Amino acid sequence: MSLPWDVFGVDATWMLLMAFLVALPCSQIGSFLVLRRMSLVGDAISHGVLPGIVLGFVFTGDLASPWLLVGAAVSGILVTLLVELIHRKSKVKQDAAIGIAFTTLFALGVLMLEFFTHGNVHLDASCVIEGQLDRVIYYPDWVLLGIAVPEPVVTMAALALCTMILIVVFYRALLMTSFDPGLSASFGFRPSWIHYGLVGFLSVIVVSAFQAVGAILVIALLILPAASAYLCTHRLKTMLVLAGVHAFLSSWLGLLLYAHLNAGLASAIVTAGMGLFLLAWLVGPVDGVLMKWLARQRAVAENQRDISKNVSERNE
Amino acid sequence: MATVLETHDLTVTYHKRPVLYGVDVAVEEGNLVGIVGPNGAGKSTLIKAIMGVVPHSGGWVKVFGKSLKESLHRVGYVPQRESVDWDFPVTVMDVALMGTYGRLGLFARAGKKERIQAQEALDKVGMLPFAKRQIGNLSGGQQQRVFLARALAQDSDLYLMDEPFVGVDAATEAAIIALLQEMRENGKTVLVVHHDLESAKEYFDMLLLLNMRLVAFGKTKDVYTSELLQKAYGGRLTILSQVAEETAKQPEANH
């Protein structure tokens, strides 16, 4: 088997770091999406932000411009507002409203993309679908502490750090509004503000991850780590840590797979992440299939012991 | 006696359809009040509107003579048990601690004092031995006790509880009502949404009869009259009691 470092040399380190820095913030925000049953909203936003990105790109002509993030956050919030507008003002239910809002905004984005960027190769369809995580090394470097660091790595590191800080600062607000919106509203915690804040920040993360993994695979990075961690613990803090561990392991295993197959790094990471999810499902320590089976066997054995004890007592 | 809660012309509409019309009540300190009425009468909506969880389209609410916002720290709200996801990765202790978050605000950390408060509250409802359990591994009655412990940890003067007796075992129901009565003895005011007319008569000092409008509010013995109950439940009351009688007989027939 060919190892990443044999194939790519030191560049493999940058790929791994970049993959992890994309997957980590996704895993943290994704944990709250899963708990709030907003996974589909993540899906909707990952597609619905496209018009915002295209507009930002058209005005600045630069994919790395911070205005793209602003455009994305605005269109992300717009998607959620549109979903709510449709399902509140018409008889259409929420899931159908999500289906309408994100597909049409995505279509609008694709139309704008083709209309505004004829022959412009910087923002093409394959990048939208698959991203270009493996191209991280071709970006200009920033020199930090004497080490040349590719620019996207610096940006994602900053974003990952921001995410961690925001999660720590707003931990209680997120916990309370996710678990019991009614009580948090009665505390004056404003669940709807937290909701839109989360959606806006989610959009920023999705757009930042967009270049690396594309609009579709980013959903996997949001949901897979969270869902795997959810099956492995009953504590929220542990769940967040485990989701981060999943993000790292799937980046690492994905890179191994990529070096071996030499095809689609982002897809390899998601595939590895799915493998880890299956592992959590089957042999996870709390909700794993194996653990539940063992617990049932133990309960049955105990029951039989009790019964035979009762019988022997009665016989005496 | 001081007026704890006052509503005037409180009106709530959902999708432009009114579900609660011009409710005027004034609740005095130290009462245990049952909110009763048929399904869809707006019982839960009433306390949600008081707590500002659903917006009201007309009228006003005053708590301890001030706006709700100013008195929020003195009001404890216990939502319906079904309103939360019991698979959520938190422990019994975590939930009890949430009661102190309203006072702590969004950022202050829960310290030793809050932990002791949460522990005492859990002890009071007999759930302290379960403190480290994940909430999904509890029975319905135990879940309700945890919710109650959280309310106790809030240490409020006025409590609004949404259907705390739904889906709980008889032992828990008795424990809850004993606790509510103890709270009243300590000068707390408690409003409870309740769906069982039969037990409402024994449980509460005062009844608030609701059917989209306020039908009656007063001492239980004055309100629990066939005339007023008929007015609240309409023709449905006889049907309801017949259905209840039939279902009550069913398990016996199976034996």
Side-chain angles (χ1 to χ4, degrees), chain A residues 83-101:
Chain A
V83 169
E84 259 156 59
L85 192 73
I86 293 174
H87 107 99
R88 277 209 190 137
K89 298 284 171 189
S90 78
K91 253 176 69 183
V92 174
K93 300 282 184 284
Q94 196 182 11
D95 52 341
I98 290 177
I100 293 168

Side-chain angles (χ1 to χ4, degrees), chain A residues 35 37 88 169-170 172-173 175-176 178-183 185-190 230 233-236 239, chain B residues 15 51 72 77 79 84-85 87-91 94 98 101-102 104-110 134-135 150 154:
Chain A
L35 290 176
R37 304 189 181 178
R88 277 209 190 137
V169 171
F170 288 100
R172 183 174 302 158
L175 166 68
M176 279 304 295
S178 305
F179 176 64
D180 196 339
L183 185 75
S186 84
F187 283 169
F189 283 6
R190 309 257 183 176
Y230 181 70
T233 178
H234 285 158
R235 303 296 305 266
L236 180 56
M239 179 174 159
Chain B
H15 292 279
M51 289 310 298
L72 207 51
Y77 171 52
V84 307
D85 172 14
D87 284 332
F88 205 88
V90 284
T91 61
D94 291 334
M98 285 177 196
Y101 287 178
L104 286 171
L106 276 180
F107 305 111
R109 288 182 66 87
Q134 197 261 334
I135 52 171
R150 183 174 72 176
Q154 268 181 264

Side-chain angles (χ1 to χ4, degrees), chain A residues 30-166:
Chain A
S31 296
F32 288 102
L33 293 187
V34 166
L35 290 176
R36 298 164 80 101
R37 304 189 181 178
M38 277 169 62
S39 306
L40 265 181
V41 176
D43 191 353
I45 283 168
S46 69
H47 290 70
V49 291
L50 192 59
I53 301 175
V54 175
L55 271 187
F57 181 62
V58 167
F59 280 117
T60 61
D62 176 13
L63 257 183
S65 161
W67 285 106
L68 258 67
L69 297 185
V70 177
V74 171
S75 52
I77 291 172
L78 264 176
V79 179
T80 22
L81 284 175
L82 188 61
V83 169
E84 259 156 59
L85 192 73
I86 293 174
H87 107 99
R88 277 209 190 137
K89 298 284 171 189
S90 78
K91 253 176 69 183
V92 174
K93 300 282 184 284
Q94 196 182 11
D95 52 341
I98 290 177
I100 293 168
F102 87 86
T103 46
T104 46
L105 277 169
F106 186 68
L108 189 69
V110 172
L111 283 182
M112 284 161 63
L113 182 68
E114 309 232 324
F115 182 76
F116 288 122
T117 63
H118 287 296
N120 194 324
V121 287
H122 292 298
L123 194 65
D124 65 332
S126 78
C127 158
V128 170
I129 291 169
E130 244 247 342
Q132 31 187 215
L133 193 54
D134 43 342
R135 294 180 58 85
V136 58
I137 38 178
Y138 302 115
Y139 281 86
D141 290 338
W142 280 34
V143 180
L144 292 174
L145 304 168
I147 307 168
V149 184
E151 195 184 87
V153 175
V154 179
T155 331
M156 276 323 289
L159 190 73
L161 187 69
C162 267
T163 311
M164 301 317 283
I165 291 172
L166 283 174

